[in-house]
Amino acid sequence: MLKKVLKSSYRQLTAAALMIALVLGSAFTAAAAPAETDAVSSASIVERRNIRVGFFTSSGLIMECDENGANKRGYIYDYLQSIRSYTNWDYEYVYADSFAEQFDQLQRGEIDIMCDVSWTKEREEILLYPEEPLGEEIYRLYTISGSGIDESNYKTSLSGSKIAVRGGTLQSELTKKWLEETGISAEVLDIYEDEESTNALFETGEADALVELEFLAKDGWNPVTRVGASNFYVAFAKGNEIYLNEMNEARRLLDAADPYWQVNLYNKYFRQKTISRQLTEREQSWVNRHSEIVLGTYSQSVSYYEQAAPEIVADSLKQLGLQDKISITTRHFDVYADMLDALQKGEIQIAAPLISTGYFEDIDDYSIAGGVDNRIICEVERDGMSFENAKVIATIKGTYTEHYILSTVFDKEIITCENAAECFRAVSSGKADVAVMAKEAADKIIGGGTSGSGASGTAGAGIGSNNKRAGNAYDGLTIRQRGESIETGYGVNRDDAGLFMLLERAAALADNNYISDTLAKYKTVQAKYTTDDFVRENISMVFGIVLLIIILLTVALMLALVQKRKDKEYRTELSRALSETEKASRAKTNFLFNMSHDIRTPMNAIIGFTNLLERNGDDREKRAEYIKKIQTSNEYLLSLINNVLEMSRIESGKLVLDESVMDLEQFNESVFSVFGPEMAKKKLEFVKDIGLEHRFIMIDPTKLHEIALNIISNAVKYTPEGGTIRISMHEIEPTKPGHARYKTEISDTGIGMSEEFLPHIFDEFTRERTSTESKVQGTGLGMAITKKLVDLMGGEIFVESELGKGTTFTILLEHRIASEDEISRADKKAANYSGVSFAGKRILIAEDNELNAEIAIEILKDAGFELEWAEDGEACVEMLANADAGHFDLILMDVQMPRLNGYEATKRIREFEDLEKADIPIIAMTANAFAEDRQNAIEAGMNGHIAKPIDITKLMETLATVLK
């Protein structure tokens, strides 16, 4: 605080000196040339100018004001006030609702200055920019606690994450450039909407991180690192060169007077936005090891610390969200040295107050954490003596003042007294020349008056007070405030670095004046004052208070009546919400009943045909028929399970896009071919109208395949024999350059849907008819999944239907057009799937389930492989270690196994000293079938991933790719 006052005073003195110089210069010139006195004098005085300043309210403390324009505040507002001191401008504020409206006002000449304008080459043609910017707009990457991003290792933990940023902005360009320069592989989500939409994506967890301007950061956002920055300026309209020159000159004078004024202004508004609340590894380690902080307070002369210190430490814990994890126990000390000794022995974790001068931190081996409080020191003098010429100095025993004097004064005799009164008597009697003590100790002797800065007075009158309760016992003594003060703070043991870092972080997050304001609450020493005294001296005010209490009671009664009505409305709303909850519960119950039926149906077929297969195993025709029906039921049961799991993943936000090059023509043919036999069987007419300008796009083929299959399969299921299915696919005008937009319509002449059910077609757990009614099996989740997938791809889906006449689905999707290089790489990858011979290749299978191992071995033997089996990950590692180099060509590794799982087994193998064994291809063959499971396998060091149940074609393609 003292530094700020000195800087402000220095700036004001410099400005005054400059003005005096101008006046003196004017007088000198007038004396030299009296005939030109009037002209010279008017030129030497800075002319007052009326400057029209654009003002639009901006978040983040840039520019803000009340609705009526009062109480203006913010970084830019304070900046202009600083400049004003050197230009003598009078500001006239012209308001606007947005940056764009303000920019139009500037171009029309309705304002002279516009603030918060970035530099661009185009703008420089029509605007004037000063030499120095208003400031630097810093773009930071933010996370939210629990996001999984480790700030201390963000380059690694950001890999594979999603970063939200407003599309088409400078921060989007800076983010992509930063990711490229740092080598971080993360997905940038360009949100072409306002900042609220971008923030919502981040705060709901759909994005792992966010890049935003520092001054727009919100509470709860953790700044991880700086991504980039750009300058912003005060801009003038062309023709205002005189204003521009005056601002440039004012800025040079201001910088010369105080080189740090702009840094201090920036810290005033934005310092807290740069501090993260996420703990470092060392800080978290300290928290994990401690559930209590023992706080030592020193009571003599500074008893208010006993009340203030626990409150300040508690606020520090609250700033970091640790208030429920760490308790505070207070231990009081009457002797400063005893508190210091307890800190050094580890009996307490924090000591308050300790002298914060670096010299004392060094000799007494502690560190000062958090804020600092200045302790005012008084001298009690006699006969015109002063500290400088005194030979004997008295101080109070056991105080921090004694410790300070004994450690810094070596050319005088020091005597210690039991209390302040004894120090006063020592000076009065001549035993000591001067007594040095804390101001609070002197206040107790001279009456407890409040002191002003630098005040002095005689004993009995107080330092700057008129309180005479002490009488004339010490007449002739002078009490003077010393020019220096002792800075004190919160001491932490030097070995307790984790706690020191926690307190420093909390202090940075706290309000600048929090510690001084909290201490001030408990500092004031008040004289006794009775209630009768107060009433007699303030009868009018007491009457007013009584009247006010009556009014407040009346208002409280009215509010109680209003609250009663609100409570009734709340209960009504609560009842409505309960009804909705029960409705949702019934829907889920119905879904479970339907699912139970739909799961038991294929299970019954599998069990039944398995029994028939055992009885009629010798009849080849029946055996083939039974196996085919068992396989059909297997596939349907697997689709049921996949649909339920897919919806669960979508709802939890774990589903992500895995885009690659796709040939739409080839895709369409493969999808159409799936339903060809069934359409032919039902004698359905299949009409295709496909018109594509761009065949190759970047898309997630699996999810597009699922969308198409869900809609077309329903059309085939619910269209009676002899009906028609039409598919139309054409390109329409895209909304983004380099993209292609497709409109696909799938219509049928099937049974259709009722008008009542149509609004619920995309709801979860809903079907218009059960499988019992429609004779068509399904989970009722297909359309809900389809809608979620279309939304995930940024598309739209619409449905029209009429009962008994059919249904039409319309899908709009837009995707980036694949480049020639991407198409070429995709073709080469596809070509790698053929031409590999498996004869003589030996595979080690790590599988804890004997049946799964037997199935895999039989499949692979038919392909020409030689097989060996390890019953878990531990056995797999041992068998590879004991085998000769080159004995095994590949390992098929299950993930969930006892003793050692697949990921851990892979990591051990990759650490083998024998590089040939360490580099053996390893493919995950696991029931963990989702995208993140594939990613986990790759991160563990595996070369590929196969999901169970095993798709033989995919298995062979993967083996061919890896072995080739």
Side-chain angles (χ1 to χ4, degrees), residues 264-278:
N264 293 331
L265 181 60
Y266 190 90
N267 287 336
K268 173 183 176 181
Y269 286 103
F270 308 124
R271 176 180 64 91
Q272 291 173 310
K273 294 180 181 293
T274 66
I275 308 300
S276 172
R277 283 180 165 81
Q278 185 167 325

Side-chain angles (χ1 to χ4, degrees), residues 151 246 302 335 409 573 606 621 649 665 727 735 743 886:
E151 290 179 17
E246 287 180 359
V302 283
V335 178
V409 178
E573 185 64 29
I606 293 170
E621 291 185 5
R649 284 165 47 73
E665 286 189 4
I727 296 181
T735 63
K743 179 180 181 181

Side-chain angles (χ1 to χ4, degrees), residues 595-637:
M595 280 296 297
S596 175
H597 172 272
D598 290 351
I599 289 175
R600 289 174 182 273
T601 298
M603 285 298 297
N604 182 64
I606 293 170
I607 295 171
F609 284 114
T610 301
N611 291 333
L612 291 173
L613 190 62
E614 290 178 348
R615 294 184 201 170
N616 302 287
D618 296 334
D619 189 329
R620 295 187 61 182
E621 291 185 5
K622 287 186 177 181
R623 185 173 61 196
E625 179 184 354
Y626 296 157
I627 291 174
K628 182 178 180 180
K629 291 179 178 179
I630 289 172
Q631 186 60 34
T632 301
S633 298
N634 284 339
E635 291 171 357
Y636 171 64
L637 184 59

Side-chain angles (χ1 to χ4, degrees), residues 547-563:
L547 181 61
L548 178 62
I549 291 173
I550 294 173
I551 293 172
L552 289 175
L553 288 174
T554 304
V555 172
L557 180 61
M558 295 175 65
L559 289 175
L561 293 174
V562 172
Q563 185 62 42

Side-chain angles (χ1 to χ4, degrees), residues 158-225:
L158 276 173
S159 178
S161 66
K162 294 181 179 180
I163 302 175
V165 64
R166 272 178 282 158
T169 60
L170 177 61
Q171 56 256 52
S172 177
E173 298 176 13
L174 291 173
T175 301
K176 293 171 184 175
K177 181 180 178 183
W178 177 76
L179 288 172
E180 182 179 354
E181 291 174 349
T182 55
I184 298 173
S185 176
E187 181 183 0
V188 176
L189 303 180
D190 279 318
I191 312 303
Y192 288 86
E193 296 179 42
D194 53 22
E195 66 183 69
E196 287 78 15
S197 300
T198 310
N199 293 349
L201 196 72
F202 168 55
E203 292 174 340
T204 57
E206 294 181 59
D208 305 299
L210 170 75
V211 173
E212 186 53 276
L213 279 169
E214 189 175 74
F215 59 75
L216 294 179
K218 296 183 179 180
D219 291 339
W221 295 7
N222 295 320
V224 176
T225 186

Side-chain angles (χ1 to χ4, degrees), residues 56 96-108 111 114-117 123:
F56 67 94
D97 293 330
S98 66
F99 178 94
E101 182 182 347
Q102 199 93 90
F103 197 85
D104 290 340
Q105 289 176 340
L106 184 69
Q107 292 181 296
R108 292 195 301 265
I111 58 176
M114 181 177 177
C115 304
D116 195 14
V117 181
R123 288 178 181 170

Side-chain angles (χ1 to χ4, degrees), residues 425-719:
R425 289 194 294 270
V427 177
S428 180
S429 65
K431 185 178 179 181
D433 302 317
V434 172
V436 179
M437 67 188 70
K439 170 191 170 296
E440 293 82 10
D443 280 348
K444 292 182 179 179
I445 302 301
I446 61 178
T450 57
S451 68
S453 176
S456 63
T458 59
I463 304 177
S465 78
N466 294 315
N467 193 323
K468 298 182 178 180
R469 287 182 297 164
N472 297 317
Y474 305 115
D475 281 350
L477 299 184
T478 300
I479 297 90
R480 182 170 59 86
Q481 181 176 313
R482 284 178 61 86
E484 64 176 335
S485 60
I486 298 178
E487 290 186 342
T488 63
Y490 291 73
V492 177
N493 193 297
R494 287 277 294 276
D495 296 328
D496 216 351
L499 177 58
F500 171 82
M501 294 167 65
L502 284 172
L503 294 177
E504 282 287 278
R505 184 187 297 273
L509 289 168
D511 182 80
N512 289 335
N513 299 318
Y514 173 77
I515 290 180
S516 57
D517 290 346
T518 304
L519 290 171
K521 289 193 303 184
Y522 303 102
K523 281 183 183 179
T524 306
V525 181
Q526 297 180 344
K528 292 182 179 179
Y529 196 55
T530 67
T531 305
D532 290 341
D533 293 335
F534 178 81
V535 173
R536 282 194 302 271
E537 295 174 11
N538 302 277
I539 185 66
S540 297
M541 185 173 67
V542 170
F543 177 77
I545 291 174
V546 171
L547 181 61
L548 178 62
I549 291 173
I550 294 173
I551 293 172
L552 289 175
L553 288 174
T554 304
V555 172
L557 180 61
M558 295 175 65
L559 289 175
L561 293 174
V562 172
Q563 185 62 42
K564 185 176 180 180
R565 186 173 65 251
K566 287 184 177 180
D567 289 343
K568 183 178 180 181
E569 294 173 355
Y570 173 74
R571 287 193 295 271
T572 302
E573 185 64 29
L574 193 63
S575 177
R576 187 181 300 113
L578 179 61
S579 176
E580 291 295 326
T581 302
E582 290 174 347
K583 182 179 177 181
S585 178
R586 285 194 298 272
K588 290 186 178 181
T589 301
N590 291 336
F591 164 75
L592 291 174
F593 281 136
N594 292 335
M595 280 296 297
S596 175
H597 172 272
D598 290 351
I599 289 175
R600 289 174 182 273
T601 298
M603 285 298 297
N604 182 64
I606 293 170
I607 295 171
F609 284 114
T610 301
N611 291 333
L612 291 173
L613 190 62
E614 290 178 348
R615 294 184 201 170
N616 302 287
D618 296 334
D619 189 329
R620 295 187 61 182
E621 291 185 5
K622 287 186 177 181
R623 185 173 61 196
E625 179 184 354
Y626 296 157
I627 291 174
K628 182 178 180 180
K629 291 179 178 179
I630 289 172
Q631 186 60 34
T632 301
S633 298
N634 284 339
E635 291 171 357
Y636 171 64
L637 184 59
L638 182 60
S639 72
L640 282 174
I641 296 170
N642 285 341
N643 275 350
V644 174
L645 292 178
E646 184 90 342
M647 181 55 69
S648 174
R649 284 165 47 73
I650 291 173
E651 293 297 336
S652 66
K654 292 182 179 179
L655 198 65
V656 294
L657 295 176
D658 185 13
E659 294 188 339
S660 60
V661 178
M662 190 182 74
D663 182 348
L664 277 178
E665 286 189 4
Q666 189 179 68
F667 172 81
N668 286 335
E669 290 303 319
S670 66
V671 171
F672 299 157
S673 65
V674 171
F675 298 99
E678 192 170 353
M679 288 184 183
K681 182 178 179 181
K682 295 182 69 173
K683 299 178 182 178
L684 299 177
E685 181 184 6
F686 186 28
V687 180
K688 294 180 289 185
D689 179 17
I690 309 297
L692 301 177
E693 181 181 348
H694 301 94
R695 288 176 51 186
F696 298 96
I697 58 173
M698 299 299 294
I699 198 170
D700 188 323
T702 302
K703 293 177 179 57
L704 183 63
H705 189 266
E706 188 168 356
I707 292 170
L709 290 185
N710 278 340
I711 297 176
I712 299 174
S713 64
N714 278 350
V716 175
K717 287 178 186 177
Y718 296 110
T719 300

